[in-house]
Amino acid sequence: MSNRLYVGNLPREVTAAELEGLFTHYGKVREASVVTDRASGDSRGFGFVEMVDPQQAAKAIEELNGHRVGQKFLVVNDARD
């Protein structure tokens, strides 16, 4: 189990701060980021969250995978290298 999580299917308007806020309910977040297009600066619809504790990361996956945000359902799993 990794502490770094992939978060996909994000609504385009979600910020890194909002993403972090979703995950802080499950434990301490070291870093949260939303990946943006280099040219336009617009969200690409996914991001990454790094949590301090692996058990808290597992709980966040369990609770937030499939969680509805706006009109979308999040995809949350271990990030691949």
Side-chain angles (χ1 to χ4, degrees):
M1 173 62 51
S2 171
N3 294 6
R4 185 169 154 85
L5 307 177
Y6 165 83
V7 185
N9 208 31
L10 283 172
R12 302 285 183 190
E13 63 275 1
V14 170
T15 65
E18 291 169 329
L19 182 59
E20 181 176 347
L22 273 174
F23 282 80
T24 56
H25 295 286
Y26 304 98
K28 185 163 173 60
V29 174
R30 184 172 289 136
E31 182 181 10
S33 62
V34 173
V35 177
T36 56
D37 181 86
R38 288 185 183 143
S40 68
D42 293 336
S43 168
R44 292 185 58 200
F46 69 95
F48 297 93
V49 174
E50 186 175 351
M51 300 191 74
V52 173
D53 182 89
Q55 281 110 0
Q56 293 171 347
K59 182 69 171 169
I61 290 172
E62 182 182 317
E63 296 290 326
L64 291 175
N65 188 43
H67 178 79
R68 186 176 180 162
V69 175
Q71 298 298 314
K72 297 197 172 203
F73 294 92
L74 298 181
V75 174
V76 183
N77 52 44
D78 280 327
R80 293 184 223 141
D81 290 334

